[in-house]
């Protein structure tokens, strides 16, 4: 049974960057639907009592489990994404991640440019990520439910660029959504906590 975690903050806590109405639908409808659908698929199967991460990884390697992968990975991605945000977040990267970002990109500004470009240039639905890949920080993007876990990378930060993440607040202006998340919401304490995983 895959759980449906509460948001780690009230629905209006990320305003005005992300509205309560967006979170009402994004968490309460989209995320919940992925949980319910994944649970329907695993019910009564050998995956029923596995961890979410195990389910995602096993489904990724099985062409007969595409629907399960799409729904379970979307649950994982959203569980992760909510934790990447916080009220009063954003600003320059802090801690060990901040030092690694400066060493890799030369400046926070250059890193943010790459991160924003990854989100803007993802054609259709997906995510922009900061990942650890063989000890190196990289900015990547994935389509639909795909995520770095199944490519042997450690996800450190995700930004959801599905239209459901921003359309109520920004309509077609995905770049504005990315800027708001980067400037106002990134939870650098959480991103730092992911190092060493
Ligand atoms: Mn989403």
């Amino acid at each position: 049974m895959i759980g449906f975690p509460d948001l780690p903050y009230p629905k209006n806590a990320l305003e005005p960057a992300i509205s309560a109405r967006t979170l009402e639908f994004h968490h309460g409808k989209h995320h919940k639907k992925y949980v319910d659908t994944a649970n329907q698929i695993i019910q009564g199967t050998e995956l029923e009592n596995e961890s979410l991460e195990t389910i995602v990884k096993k489904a990724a390697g099985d062409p007969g489990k595409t629907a399960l992968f799409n729904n379970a990975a979307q649950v994982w991605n959203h569980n992760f994404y909510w934790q990447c945000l916080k009220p009063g977040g954003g600003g320059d990267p802090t801690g060990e991640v901040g030092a690694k970002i400066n060493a890799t990109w030369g400046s926070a500004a250059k890193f943010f440019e790459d991160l924003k470009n990854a989100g803007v240039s993802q054609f259709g639905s997906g995510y922009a990520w900061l990942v650890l890949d063989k000890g190196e920080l990289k900015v990547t993007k994935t389509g639909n439910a795909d995520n770095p876990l199944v490519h042997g990378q450690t996800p450190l930060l995700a930004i959801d660029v599905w239209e459901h993440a921003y359309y109520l607040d920004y309509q077609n202006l995905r770049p504005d959504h990315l800027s708001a998340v980067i400037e106002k919401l990134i939870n650098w304490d959480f991103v730092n906590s992911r190092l060493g995983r």
Side-chain angles (χ1 to χ4, degrees):
M1 186 84 173
I2 296 168
F4 177 48
D6 290 335
L7 282 173
Y9 29 73
K11 283 198 173 63
N12 63 358
L14 305 184
E15 292 190 337
I18 297 178
S19 68
R21 187 159 167 77
T22 287
L23 288 187
E24 198 179 309
F25 279 90
H26 196 176
H27 176 259
K29 306 287 185 190
H30 292 276
H31 187 174
K32 182 170 190 302
K33 177 75 170 164
Y34 297 130
V35 173
D36 292 346
T37 305
N39 277 325
Q40 278 167 17
I41 297 171
I42 61 172
Q43 194 175 19
T45 75
E46 76 285 357
L47 293 174
E48 192 171 32
N49 298 312
E50 296 284 2
S51 73
L52 177 60
E53 193 166 323
T54 300
I55 292 167
V56 169
K57 287 180 174 171
K58 284 191 171 173
D62 185 341
K65 290 189 166 58
T66 306
L68 177 59
F69 174 76
N70 285 338
N71 284 280
Q74 278 293 72
V75 176
W76 193 96
N77 293 345
H78 286 87
N79 291 353
F80 185 78
Y81 173 58
W82 305 133
Q83 297 178 81
C84 291
L85 311 178
K86 72 167 189 180
D92 282 355
T94 60
E96 197 182 342
V97 168
K100 277 178 171 288
I101 283 173
N102 282 332
T104 307
W105 279 271
S107 69
K110 183 69 182 81
F111 161 70
F112 287 136
E113 191 183 316
D114 278 7
L115 183 64
K116 187 172 169 179
N117 281 340
V120 169
S121 65
Q122 171 54 36
F123 187 77
S125 297
Y127 298 83
W129 303 87
L130 172 66
V131 303
L132 200 55
D133 185 1
K134 299 175 188 75
E136 285 183 32
L137 291 188
K138 287 182 183 165
V139 164
T140 64
K141 58 187 176 182
T142 58
N144 298 318
D146 192 16
N147 77 29
L149 273 187
V150 299
H151 303 292
Q153 299 166 325
T154 304
L156 304 181
L157 166 67
I159 303 179
D160 191 335
V161 298
W162 282 60
E163 286 187 346
H164 66 221
Y166 61 87
Y167 222 80
L168 293 174
D169 299 327
Y170 299 92
Q171 292 75 52
N172 58 322
L173 303 178
R174 186 190 287 186
D176 289 3
H177 163 69
L178 282 154
S179 292
V181 169
I182 288 168
E183 289 164 20
K184 309 283 187 196
L185 298 181
I186 293 176
N187 182 346
W188 288 110
D189 291 338
F190 174 73
V191 178
N192 272 291
S193 79
R194 295 284 306 168
L195 275 184
R197 292 290 184 98

